[in-house]
C-alpha cells in the first residue's frame, strides 16, 4: 500500500482535518516534476554567479534582522544552503515557523515557494493542535491524580485500616499521574493537591540514586513530624462529595423526591461504583494518550516522507535542515505523552489489576478484532441455504398450487402474519449490515458514536451472519409448516404444525437473553440495555445509542402488531383449527393502536427529558412536537381502518400530510444537515463523506417517496392483483424499513462530521468525586 493511502487509513477520523495534508503537498511536487521534465530538453539558463547566494543571504539578514532568531541555520557560509527557517510569535503567543527559500530567482522557483508556504502552514497546524491537546491531556491527568488519591483514601476507610498503617504505607498507596511527568523543557507546575500524599513508586526507579532516596525519606519524616503541615490521607475525604449518578428508575425518583443534601456516606456500594467509574476513566484516558502518540508519529513520518520526495524532485538537499527543525519543535521533542502513558500503566496495574502486569495491559490495550475465516464460511453457508430455501419454497407453492387452493385466504390471514414478524427483523438486520459496510467504507466512526467498547463492535459480516442465520431458521419453519400441512402423513398433526411459529419466537427470545458468552453476548446485552433505557426514557440519561434505537423502533410498528397477533392467535383464537376472531375484538383493536403509538411516545419522552433536564435546547421541544404529530397521524389512520367513513378518511389524510411534511423536513434539514443553500456544495452541506453529490439528492427523493407509503391505507388500497391484504401490508412495512436504512447512513454521517468539526474523538466519562480545596472553602465563607 502506498504511504498516502496508509496515512489516511491510520488517521483518527475525528481529527482528520488536523493532520498534515499529504496529498496536497504531493500534488505540488507532481507539478514541480512535470515542469522540470518539460524544461530538460531546453537549453540550460546561465548559471548563478559564484558567491551570489552568500550575497543574497547577507542582504536578506541585514534587511530583516534575522540574526539570532533562526532555529536552524545549518551553516550560513555553506553555498549549498537552500532554505532558512525562523520562528515567529503568532496569535495567543503560539510559536509559528516560517521557511525562507533562498533561490527565489531560479526558473520555476514559484513552485518551490508555494510548496514551502503550504508546508509551513501544515506544520504549524499540526504543531499547534498537538500542543493544545497535550495541554488538555496534562490538565486531565492532574484531575485524575486527585481522583485516584481520593479513591485510595476511600478504600482505606472502607477497609477500616488504622491510621498507623496508613502513615506507614503512605508512600506506596498514593498515586500521582503527573509526578515527575513535567521534567524537561516543556514542564508545568504541580498542583498542591498532588503533594498531599507523596508518590514514589510511580516514578522510574532509575531516576533516583541513593542520595535522592535518602532525601525523600528525610523529607517524609520531617513532614510527618510537623503537625498540620501535611494532612493524613483520610482527611481528604472531608473535602469530597460523591457524585451520585442515577442508574435505575428508583434512584432517579429518589433524587427528584428527596432532598439533594443527604448525609455523606462512604460504604462498599459507593466504593464499587467509584472503582468502576475511575477504571473506565483511566482506560479512556489511556486510549486518548495512545491516539495522541499515533497522531504525532504519523505526522512526523509524513513530513519526513514529503521532504525526501522534495529532495528527489528538486535535486536539492533541503530535508536535512527542515527535519532538524521538525525534530526540535514541540511535536517532535515533547515527551509528556510517553511519560503519562507509563504512569497510567503503573497506576492501573497496581490499583485495578492487583499488580498483574499482563492482566492490566490487556485491559488497557484490548486486542484488535481480527477477521475470522469461520465467519466468512458460515456467512456463505447460511446465505446459500437461505437462497436454496427460497427457491424450494417457490417450487413447492407452484407445484402444489397453493396460491389457487381453498385454504389460501385462511393461511394468509392466520399464518402469514406470524412469519412476517421474522421477515421484518431479518430485513432490518440486513439493512443495518449494509449501513455498517458503508460507514466503514466512507470512514464514519460508528463504533465511537454508538459508544461500543473497543473490540466488541460487530462488523457488517457478523451482522449479516446473524440475519442470514435467522432467515434460515424462519424459511425452514415456513417450509416445514407448509410441507406438514400438505402431506397426508403429517396433516393429522395439526396442533404441532400450528405451534412451529410460536416455537421459533421462543428460540429467538432464548438466544437474545441467553446469559452465556455465546453468539456475541456483549452486543446482545448492549442492545437489551439500550432497549430498556428507551422504554424507561424519562428515568435515564439519554445517549445517542438510545436515541438511535428508539428511532429504529418507530419503523417496526407492523412487527409489534404481528407480536400482538401472536398473543391473540395462540391465547384467544383457536389455533388448532387455524381460525381467529381477533379483528372483531375491541381489546385487540385497542392494543393494535397502542403498540403502534408506543415507539413514537418513547421518542417524545426522550425529547422531553433532554429539553427539561439535560441540554435544555428548544430544538428538542420541536422534535417532541414532531413525534406528537406522528402519533396523531397513526391514530387517525388506524381509526380509519376500523371505522369506515369520509370523516375518518379526511382526518387521516390531513394529519398524515402534516406529519409527512414535518418529518421529511426534519429528516433532511436537521438530521442529515442538508439543503444548505449557501454551503460549498449548493443545497447540500459544506462537508460530504460520499464523493458523489447525486447520491444525496437521490436519498432525499427516496425519503420523500417512501414516506408517502401511508397513502395506501388512506386511499383504501387493501389488495392488489396477486397480492393478499396482509401481503400488501407487509410490503409497505418493508418499504419503511428500507427508508430507515437510508436515514441511518446519512444521520450517522452528519453526526460524525459534527464530531470532526469539534475534534471530538473521545467519550466523556463522569468522574466519581467532587473535591473542594480549603482555599475555595475560605473564599466561599468570606463571600457569604
Amino acid at each position: 500500500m502506498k504511504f498516502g493511502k496508509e496515512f489516511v487509513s491510520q488517521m483518527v477520523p475525528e481529527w482528520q482535518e488536523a493532520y498534515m495534508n499529504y496529498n496536497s503537498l504531493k500534488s505540488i511536487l507532481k507539478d514541480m516534476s512535470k515542469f522540470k521534465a518539460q524544461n530538460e530538453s531546453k537549453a540550460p539558463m546561465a548559471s548563478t554567479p559564484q558567491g551570489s547566494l552568500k550575497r543574497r543571504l547577507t542582504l536578506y539578514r541585514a534587511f530583516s534582522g534575522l540574526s539570532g532568531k533562526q532555529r536552524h541555520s545549518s551553516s550560513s557560509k555553506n553555498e549549498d544552503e537552500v532554505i532558512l527557517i525562523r520562528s515567529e510569535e503568532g496569535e495567543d503567543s503560539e510559536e509559528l515557523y516560517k521557511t525562507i527559500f533562498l533561490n527565489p530567482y531560479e526558473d520555476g522557483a514559484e513552485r518551490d515557494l508555494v510548496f514551502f508556504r503550504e508546508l509551513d502552514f501544515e506544520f504549524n497546524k499540526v504543531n499547534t493542535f498537538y500542543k493544545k491537546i497535550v495541554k488538555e491531556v496534562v490538565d486531565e491527568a492532574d484531575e485524575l491524580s486527585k481522583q485516584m488519591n481520593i479513591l485510595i483514601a476511600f478504600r482505606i476507610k472502607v477497609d477500616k485500616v488504622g491510621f498507623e498503617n496508613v502513615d506507614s504505607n503512605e508512600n506506596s498507596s498514593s498515586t500521582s499521574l503527573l509526578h515527575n511527568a513535567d521534567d524537561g523543557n516543556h514542564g508545568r507546575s504541580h498542583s498542591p493537591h498532588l503533594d498531599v500524599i507523596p508518590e514514589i513508586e510511580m516514578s522510574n526507579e532509575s531516576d533516583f540514586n541513593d542520595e535522592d532516596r535518602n532525601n525523600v525519606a528525610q523529607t517524609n519524616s520531617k513532614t510527618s513530624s510537623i503537625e498540620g503541615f501535611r494532612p493524613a490521607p483520610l482527611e481528604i475525604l472531608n473535602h469530597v462529595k460523591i457524585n451520585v449518578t442515577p442508574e435505575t428508575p428508583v434512584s432517579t425518583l429518589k433524587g427528584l423526591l428527596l432532598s439533594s443534601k443527604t448525609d455523606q456516606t462512604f460504604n462498599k456500594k459507593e466504593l464499587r461504583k467509584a472503582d468502576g467509574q475511575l477504571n473506565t476513566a483511566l482506560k479512556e484516558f489511556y486510549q486518548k494518550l495512545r491516539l495522541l502518540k499515533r497522531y504525532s508519529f504519523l505526522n512526523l513520518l509524513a513530513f519526513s516522507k514529503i521532504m525526501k520526495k522534495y529532495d528527489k524532485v528538486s535535486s536539492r538537499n533541503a530535508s536535512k535542515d527542515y527535519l532538524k527543525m521538525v525534530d526540535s519543535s514541540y511535536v517532535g521533542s515533547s515527551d509528556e505523552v510517553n511519560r503519562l502513558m507509563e504512569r497510567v500503566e503503573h497506576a492501573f496495574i497496581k490499583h485495578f489489576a492487583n499488580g498483574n502486569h499482563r492482566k492490566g495491559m490487556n485491559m488497557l490495550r484490548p486486542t484488535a478484532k481480527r477477521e475470522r475465516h469461520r465467519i466468512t464460511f458460515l456467512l456463505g453457508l447460511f446465505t446459500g441455504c437461505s437462497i436454496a430455501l427460497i427457491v424450494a419454497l417457490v417450487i413447492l407453492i407452484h407445484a402444489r398450487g397453493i396460491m389457487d387452493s381453498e385454504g389460501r385466504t385462511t393461511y394468509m390471514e392466520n399464518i402469514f402474519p406470524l412469519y412476517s414478524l421474522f421477515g421484518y427483523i431479518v430485513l432490518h438486520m440486513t439493512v443495518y449490515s449494509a449501513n455498517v459496510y458503508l460507514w466503514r467504507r466512507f470512514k464514519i466512526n460508528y463504533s465511537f458514536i454508538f459508544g461500543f467498547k473497543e473490540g466488541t463492535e460487530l462488523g457488517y459480516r457478523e451482522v449479516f451472519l446473524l440475519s442470514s442465520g435467522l432467515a434460515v431458521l424462519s424459511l425452514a419453519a415456513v417450509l416445514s409448516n407448509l410441507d406438514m400441512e400438505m402431506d397426508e402423513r403429517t396433516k393429522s398433526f395439526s396442533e404441532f404444525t400450528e405451534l412451529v411459529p410460536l416455537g421459533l419466537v421462543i428460540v429467538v427470545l432464548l438466544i437474545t437473553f441467553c446469559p452465556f458468552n455465546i453468539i456475541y453476548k456483549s452486543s446482545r446485552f448492549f442492545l437489551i440495555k439500550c432497549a430498556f433505557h428507551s422504554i424507561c426514557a424519562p428515568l435515564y440519561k439519554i445517549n445517542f445509542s438510545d436515541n438511535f434505537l428508539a428511532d429504529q423502533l418507530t419503523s417496526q410498528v407492523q412487527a409489534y402488531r404481528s407480536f400482538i397477533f401472536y398473543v391473540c392467535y395462540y391465547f384467544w383464537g383457536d389455533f388448532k383449527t387455524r381460525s381467529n376472531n381477533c379483528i372483531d375484538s375491541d381489546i385487540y383493536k385497542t392494543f393494535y393502536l397502542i403498540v403502534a403509538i408506543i415507539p413514537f411516545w418513547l421518542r417524545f419522552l426522550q425529547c422531553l427529558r433532554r429539553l427539561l433536564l439535560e441540554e435544555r435546547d428548544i430544538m428538542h421541544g420541536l422534535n417532541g412536537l414532531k413525534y406528537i404529530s406522528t402519533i396523531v397521524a397513526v391514530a387517525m389512520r388506524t381509526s380509519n381502518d376500523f371505522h369506515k367513513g369520509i370523516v375518518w378518511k379526511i382526518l387521516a389524510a390531513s394529519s398524515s400530510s402534516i406529519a409527512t411534511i414535518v418529518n421529511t423536513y426534519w429528516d433532511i434539514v436537521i438530521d442529515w444537515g442538508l439543503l444548505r443553500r449557501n454551503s460549498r456544495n449548493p443545497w447540500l452541506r459544506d462537508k460530504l463523506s460520499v464523493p458523489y453529490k447525486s447520491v444525496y439528492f437521490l436519498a432525499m427523493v427516496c425519503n420523500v417517496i417512501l414516506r408517502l407509503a401511508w397513502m395506501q391505507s388512506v386511499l383504501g388500497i387493501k389488495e392488489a392483483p396477486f397480492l393478499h391484504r396482509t401481503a400488501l401490508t407487509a410490503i409497505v412495512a418493508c418499504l419503511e424499513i428500507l427508508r430507515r436504512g437510508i436515514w441511518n447512513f446519512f444521520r450517522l454521517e452528519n453526526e460524525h462530521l459534527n464530531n470532526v468539526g469539534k475534534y471530538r474523538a473521545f467519550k466523556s466519562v463522569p468522574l466519581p468525586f467532587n473535591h473542594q480545596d480549603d482555599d475555595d472553602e475560605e473564599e466561599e465563607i468570606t463571600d457569604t
Side-chain angles (χ1 to χ4, degrees):
M1 182 185 292
K2 292 184 178 180
F3 176 76
K5 293 183 179 180
E6 188 176 359
F7 179 62
V8 173
S9 66
Q10 294 294 326
M11 289 181 179
V12 179
E14 288 76 15
W15 289 353
Q16 57 186 358
E17 293 185 355
Y19 281 82
M20 168 193 176
N21 194 340
Y22 183 83
N23 291 328
S24 175
L25 292 170
K26 190 176 178 181
S27 64
I28 297 175
L29 292 181
K30 286 183 178 179
D31 292 340
M32 192 183 301
S33 179
K34 289 180 182 178
F35 178 81
K36 184 178 178 181
Q38 291 174 357
N39 291 345
E40 281 183 352
S41 59
K42 299 180 180 179
M45 296 180 62
S47 60
T48 306
Q50 186 176 6
S52 61
L53 177 59
K54 290 192 288 184
R55 184 167 58 255
R56 287 200 303 269
L57 180 57
T58 304
L59 290 174
Y60 180 81
R61 285 182 174 176
F63 177 76
S64 58
L66 293 179
S67 297
K69 292 186 178 181
Q70 299 96 311
R71 294 292 301 270
H72 289 282
S73 61
S74 296
S75 176
S76 61
K77 298 181 180 180
N78 190 350
E79 295 186 4
D80 294 331
E81 191 175 28
V82 179
I83 58 175
L84 196 66
I85 305 170
R86 66 175 183 177
S87 62
E88 298 176 345
E89 187 173 324
E91 297 180 2
D92 300 328
S93 300
E94 290 290 343
E95 187 178 23
L96 302 179
Y97 294 92
K98 184 175 181 180
T99 303
I100 309 298
F101 184 61
L102 299 179
N103 298 325
Y105 305 112
E106 291 184 353
D107 189 17
E110 63 274 5
R111 290 172 175 80
D112 296 85
L113 295 173
V114 171
F115 173 79
F116 283 109
R117 189 184 308 120
E118 184 71 17
L119 185 67
D120 289 340
F121 172 79
E122 295 296 332
F123 180 76
N124 289 324
K125 176 183 71 175
V126 169
N127 193 55
T128 302
F129 178 80
Y130 182 77
K131 195 171 185 178
K132 173 189 173 185
I133 300 298
V134 169
K135 183 179 182 301
E136 294 176 359
V137 163
V138 172
D139 292 339
E140 187 174 352
D142 190 358
E143 177 62 30
L144 286 174
S145 298
K146 298 175 183 178
Q147 295 281 328
M148 283 299 301
N149 286 335
I150 296 170
L151 178 66
I152 292 167
F154 194 172
R155 286 178 176 177
I156 295 172
K157 183 177 180 65
V158 171
D159 293 339
K160 298 180 181 180
V161 179
F163 282 93
E164 297 82 6
N165 294 333
V166 173
D167 292 336
S168 63
N169 293 326
E170 275 184 341
N171 294 342
S172 61
S173 299
S174 60
T175 298
S176 173
L177 298 181
L178 286 182
H179 181 76
N180 214 26
D182 47 358
D183 299 338
N185 297 327
H186 306 286
R188 62 190 302 271
S189 60
H190 283 295
S191 169
H193 282 275
L194 298 180
D195 293 330
V196 170
I197 308 177
E199 168 62 22
I200 299 301
E201 94 289 340
M202 291 299 297
S203 304
N204 294 329
E205 295 183 0
S206 59
D207 295 340
F208 292 92
N209 52 31
D210 294 338
E211 184 179 353
D212 292 331
R213 291 189 179 93
N214 294 332
N215 291 336
V216 170
Q218 292 175 5
T219 303
N220 290 337
S221 62
K222 290 179 181 179
T223 54
S224 62
S225 63
I226 300 176
E227 183 179 357
F229 180 77
R230 191 181 298 276
L234 292 180
E235 292 185 10
I236 299 178
L237 300 180
N238 297 333
H239 310 283
V240 170
K241 181 180 179 182
I242 300 176
N243 292 328
V244 180
T245 304
E247 297 180 353
T248 63
V250 175
S251 62
T252 304
L253 292 175
K254 284 183 179 180
L256 294 174
L257 298 177
L258 301 179
S259 173
S260 60
K261 296 183 178 179
T262 58
D263 294 335
Q264 190 73 277
T265 60
F266 294 96
N267 52 43
K268 290 185 178 181
K269 183 178 179 181
E270 296 294 341
L271 176 60
R272 284 195 298 270
K273 291 180 182 178
D275 263 332
Q277 285 181 304
L278 262 181
N279 186 314
T280 304
L282 277 179
K283 287 191 288 189
E284 190 65 27
F285 180 67
Y286 189 76
Q287 297 308 316
K288 183 184 298 187
L289 294 175
R290 291 180 65 193
L291 292 181
L292 196 54
K293 183 178 179 179
R294 189 174 72 182
Y295 171 85
S296 172
F297 170 77
L298 285 176
N299 280 288
L300 293 176
L301 183 60
F303 281 110
S304 175
K305 292 278 186 181
I306 204 67
M307 285 307 300
K308 289 179 180 179
K309 284 184 177 292
Y310 173 80
D311 286 354
K312 184 178 179 180
V313 170
S314 64
S315 301
R316 296 189 177 98
N317 187 21
S319 61
K320 183 178 179 181
D321 291 338
Y322 199 88
L323 294 179
K324 280 184 180 180
M325 180 275 295
V326 171
D327 291 338
S328 65
S329 65
Y330 189 89
V331 69
S333 62
S334 174
D335 201 32
E336 276 93 342
V337 173
N338 288 329
R339 289 198 292 267
L340 281 174
M341 288 181 70
E342 291 177 4
R343 280 147 187 82
V344 171
E345 291 170 2
H346 287 219
F348 191 89
I349 290 169
K350 176 176 180 180
H351 297 290
F352 296 101
N354 295 325
N356 189 326
H357 185 272
R358 177 178 296 180
K359 178 182 176 182
M361 293 308 297
N362 287 339
M363 295 170 69
L364 285 174
R365 297 185 180 185
T367 55
K369 194 172 183 180
R370 295 182 299 176
E371 298 290 345
R372 304 194 178 188
H373 295 297
R374 68 181 180 186
I375 299 296
T376 306
F377 170 76
L378 291 174
L379 177 59
L381 177 64
F382 287 155
T383 303
C385 290
S386 300
I387 296 174
L389 288 171
I390 292 174
V391 173
L393 188 61
V394 172
I395 293 175
L396 179 64
I397 291 174
H398 283 280
R400 299 193 175 183
I402 296 176
M403 297 296 294
D404 301 325
S405 64
E406 297 179 358
R408 170 179 175 268
T409 303
T410 303
Y411 183 88
M412 293 300 295
E413 290 181 351
N414 293 275
I415 302 300
F416 182 82
L418 301 177
Y419 285 116
S420 63
L421 170 65
F422 303 101
Y424 303 142
I425 298 175
V426 169
L427 178 60
H428 210 138
M429 292 175 69
T430 304
V431 167
Y432 178 72
S433 67
N435 288 147
V436 173
Y437 171 79
L438 292 173
W439 289 331
R440 286 193 173 185
R441 170 68 176 79
F442 295 104
K443 295 180 174 57
I444 296 172
N445 196 358
Y446 71 97
S447 60
F448 169 72
I449 295 173
F450 287 140
F452 294 142
K453 292 182 180 179
E454 186 177 358
T456 62
E457 69 277 7
L458 296 183
Y460 67 94
R461 288 187 179 89
E462 288 86 351
V463 178
F464 192 58
L465 172 65
L466 293 174
S467 64
S468 60
L470 181 58
V472 169
L473 286 176
S474 305
L475 291 170
V478 171
L479 193 61
S480 61
N481 197 314
L482 280 175
D483 185 65
M484 285 187 287
E485 180 63 27
M486 297 302 167
D487 195 337
E488 293 295 334
R489 294 173 299 176
T490 58
K491 192 172 183 179
S492 58
F493 300 97
S494 58
E495 294 184 26
F496 180 74
T497 62
E498 299 301 315
L499 288 173
V500 171
L502 181 61
L504 189 56
V505 170
I506 294 174
V507 169
V508 172
L509 290 176
L510 288 176
I511 293 175
T512 303
F513 292 94
C514 177
F516 303 110
N517 191 17
I518 56 174
I519 314 179
Y520 308 115
K521 176 186 174 182
S522 60
S523 298
R524 287 189 287 108
F525 277 49
F526 183 85
L527 176 65
I528 293 170
K529 184 189 74 173
C530 291
F532 184 72
H533 286 185
S534 298
I535 294 172
C536 304
L539 305 176
Y540 282 94
K541 180 177 174 61
I542 307 301
N543 298 320
F544 183 87
S545 55
D546 303 332
N547 265 341
F548 188 82
L549 179 61
D551 280 322
Q552 307 308 302
L553 297 180
T554 60
S555 295
Q556 285 286 3
V557 169
Q558 203 57 41
Y560 312 138
R561 287 174 169 173
S562 296
F563 193 78
I564 292 298
F565 184 78
Y566 265 91
V567 177
C568 177
Y569 183 72
Y570 285 106
F571 294 97
W572 295 343
D574 188 3
F575 68 89
K576 297 179 182 179
T577 59
R578 190 172 284 182
S579 63
N580 72 86
N581 297 318
C582 297
I583 199 67
D584 299 325
S585 171
D586 292 336
I587 298 177
Y588 176 79
K589 291 179 180 179
T590 302
F591 278 99
Y592 191 83
L593 174 61
I594 290 175
V595 296
I597 290 176
I598 285 177
F600 301 100
W601 178 252
L602 295 179
R603 281 296 286 125
F604 169 73
L605 293 179
Q606 287 181 338
C607 295
L608 195 63
R609 177 186 172 95
R610 298 182 72 177
L611 173 65
L612 300 178
L613 300 178
E614 295 180 10
E615 288 92 341
R616 303 180 186 273
D617 188 351
I618 191 62
M619 292 299 293
H620 296 304
L622 298 177
N623 196 16
L625 293 177
K626 179 194 73 173
Y627 287 106
I628 291 295
S629 69
T630 307
I631 290 174
V632 173
V634 171
M636 293 298 102
R637 289 202 299 266
T638 306
S639 300
N640 179 57
D641 291 338
F642 291 143
H643 308 91
K644 306 298 182 183
I646 188 65
V647 176
W648 286 109
K649 183 170 291 189
I650 293 174
L651 290 175
S654 58
S655 61
S656 297
S657 299
I658 294 173
T660 299
I661 294 172
V662 173
N663 280 275
T664 302
Y665 173 83
W666 198 275
D667 285 347
I668 297 174
V669 177
I670 307 300
D671 290 340
W672 295 358
L674 301 177
L675 292 182
R676 311 294 183 189
R677 184 167 57 178
N678 298 323
S679 66
R680 286 182 295 182
N681 303 295
W683 297 107
L684 297 177
R685 63 170 106 86
D686 290 338
K687 300 176 183 177
L688 303 175
S689 297
V690 182
Y692 310 106
K693 297 180 183 179
S694 58
V695 172
Y696 294 90
F697 292 106
L698 181 62
M700 287 189 281
V701 172
C702 289
N703 186 74
V704 173
I705 294 174
L706 293 175
R707 274 207 175 271
L708 296 176
W710 55 265
M711 294 179 66
Q712 166 264 338
S713 172
V714 175
L715 296 178
I717 304 175
K718 299 298 182 182
E719 294 192 24
F722 308 107
L723 282 178
H724 190 266
R725 170 178 54 85
T726 54
L728 185 60
T729 301
I731 291 175
V732 173
C734 291
L735 292 177
E736 168 59 22
I737 294 173
L738 293 175
R739 187 201 67 81
R740 179 60 62 185
I742 298 173
W743 180 90
N744 289 346
F745 174 80
F746 294 102
R747 175 68 185 92
L748 239 71
E749 182 208 20
N750 189 36
E751 184 71 16
H752 171 75
L753 293 176
N754 288 336
N755 290 340
V756 170
K758 299 175 183 178
Y759 300 106
R760 189 166 50 203
F762 312 106
K763 293 183 290 185
S764 58
V765 181
L767 297 176
F769 307 112
N770 275 333
H771 53 83
Q772 191 172 30
D773 299 345
D774 293 336
D775 296 339
D776 296 337
E777 291 181 354
E778 292 177 1
E779 289 177 4
E780 290 181 1
I781 293 173
T782 55
D783 291 340
T784 56

